[in-house]
């Protein structure tokens, strides 16, 4: 394993945002119930014997070749899909409130930043909203219209909109070609800032080593199994790990 491995934490620890104990999933349902439309659903063995624990307030990146189980893992973590075997536990003891960072195209272009964030976080107090703005780097852009923001700022706004709901889990996915590199980096930067400012737990699927390097830990999947993990790794080390796994895929 690469770098200093922090995950999985010992099974049974009480202070977990979520924990997967020997989880397997035969297929990702295609009935629209999953949070993310997983192209991993083809074939069998979507997830195999996954054991993973993540503490609250952590940012985790998930990487791997196509159809390695990344989308399936995100759906299981969110409680949207029940595993075929094994168990999933959350810190609250119940299925968590999970928010998925949607595409920037869904943002209302003529609305102001504060309208987008504060409408989403209508039940949040001023201190929570302040941490969201600062974490996403949008404090000085609160009165600007979405259409006037840069592509990177709009991506951070998409993160802030979901973070304002104070979810137990904040999830994001990036598949090759779905976002420009600069937007992917803005997504990971926004998640990093929100995790640090609001102490949320975030999980991001990505294929970009630079974006993944902002996470506390990186999990590498291959054919539904966790085959490597790294904590505090730089982009070069992450790229090397991913390249080795891709050669084996």
């Amino acid at each position: 394993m690469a770098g200093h491995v922090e995950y999985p934490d010992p099974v049974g620890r009480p202070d977990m945002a979520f924990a997967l104990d020997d989880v397997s999933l035969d297929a990702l349902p295609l009935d629209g119930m999953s949070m993310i439309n997983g192209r991993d659903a083809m074939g069998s063995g979507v997830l195999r014997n996954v054991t993973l624990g993540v503490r609250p307030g952590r940012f985790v990146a998930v990487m791997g070749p196509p159809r390695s189980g990344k989308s399936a893992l995100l759906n299981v973590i969110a409680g949207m899909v029940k595993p075929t075997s094994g168990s999933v536990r959350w810190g609250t003891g119940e299925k968590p409130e999970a928010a998925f960072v949607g595409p920037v195209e869904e943002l209302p272009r003529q609305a102001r930043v504060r309208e987008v964030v504060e409408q989403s976080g209508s039940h949040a107090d001023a201190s929570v909203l302040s941490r969201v703005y600062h974490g996403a780097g949008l404090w000085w852009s609160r009165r600007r219209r979405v259409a006037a923001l840069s592509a990177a700022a709009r991506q951070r706004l998409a993160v802030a909109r979901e973070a304002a709901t104070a979810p137990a889990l904040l999830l994001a996915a990036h598949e090759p070609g779905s976002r420009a590199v600069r937007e992917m980096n803005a997504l990971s930067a926004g998640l990093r800032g929100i995790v640090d400012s609001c102490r949320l737990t975030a999980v991001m699927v990505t294929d970009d080593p630079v974006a993944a390097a902002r996470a506390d830990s990186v999990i590498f999947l291959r054919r539904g199994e966790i085959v490597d993990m790294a904590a505090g790794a730089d982009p070069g080390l992450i790229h090397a790990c991913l390249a080795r796994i891709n050669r084996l895929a």
Side-chain angles (χ1 to χ4, degrees):
M1 292 194 178
H4 169 68
V5 176
E6 182 177 358
Y7 306 103
D9 284 329
V11 173
R13 282 185 54 158
D15 56 335
M16 289 288 178
F18 62 86
L20 280 62
D21 300 331
D22 199 25
V23 164
S24 293
L25 179 66
D26 290 342
L28 190 62
L30 299 177
D31 58 2
M33 293 300 293
S34 58
M35 179 175 291
I36 300 161
N37 183 17
R39 280 170 281 180
D40 303 310
M42 302 296 290
S44 61
V46 177
L47 293 176
R48 295 190 292 174
N49 308 115
V50 172
T51 295
L52 172 69
V54 173
R55 297 197 298 271
R58 296 286 181 159
F59 177 18
V60 179
V62 181
M63 307 187 80
R67 298 182 181 178
S68 58
K70 302 183 296 293
S71 296
L73 181 62
L74 225 58
N75 277 284
V76 169
I77 289 171
M80 301 298 292
V81 174
K82 184 177 180 180
T84 306
S85 62
S87 63
V88 184
R89 296 176 288 112
W90 298 283
T92 60
E94 301 177 351
K95 176 182 171 181
E97 291 293 330
F100 177 68
V101 179
V104 296
E105 291 79 13
E106 294 179 354
L107 295 171
R109 292 181 60 82
Q110 295 308 312
R112 299 187 187 277
V113 167
R114 65 181 182 184
E115 293 170 346
V116 173
V117 174
E118 293 173 22
Q119 181 178 6
S120 181
S122 58
H123 299 295
D125 60 32
S127 63
V128 170
L129 293 174
S130 177
R131 289 195 295 272
V132 169
Y133 284 127
H134 282 97
L138 294 170
W139 178 257
W140 300 110
S141 301
R142 303 190 310 281
R143 294 177 176 82
R144 297 189 68 188
R145 295 193 184 277
V146 173
L149 298 177
S150 66
R154 288 197 297 272
Q155 187 63 77
R156 297 196 306 274
L157 176 58
V159 175
R161 178 174 64 173
E162 303 307 325
T165 67
L169 295 174
L170 186 57
L171 308 174
H174 165 246
E175 294 292 344
S178 66
R179 288 187 175 94
V181 171
R182 65 180 180 276
E183 293 178 20
M184 186 62 224
N185 286 327
L187 173 62
S188 65
L191 289 169
R192 177 76 270 170
I194 287 294
V195 167
D196 291 342
S197 181
C198 302
R199 307 309 300 166
L200 295 180
T201 303
V203 183
M204 174 186 68
V205 169
T206 182
D207 67 333
D208 183 354
V210 174
R214 291 192 175 92
D216 295 304
S217 292
V218 184
I219 298 166
F220 298 92
L221 291 175
R222 174 177 172 264
R223 296 181 182 176
E225 297 181 302
I226 295 178
V227 294
D228 210 346
M229 305 180 194
D234 61 33
L237 178 58
I238 293 171
H239 176 78
C241 290
L242 191 61
R244 177 176 59 83
I245 292 167
N246 284 335
R247 286 195 297 269
L248 297 173

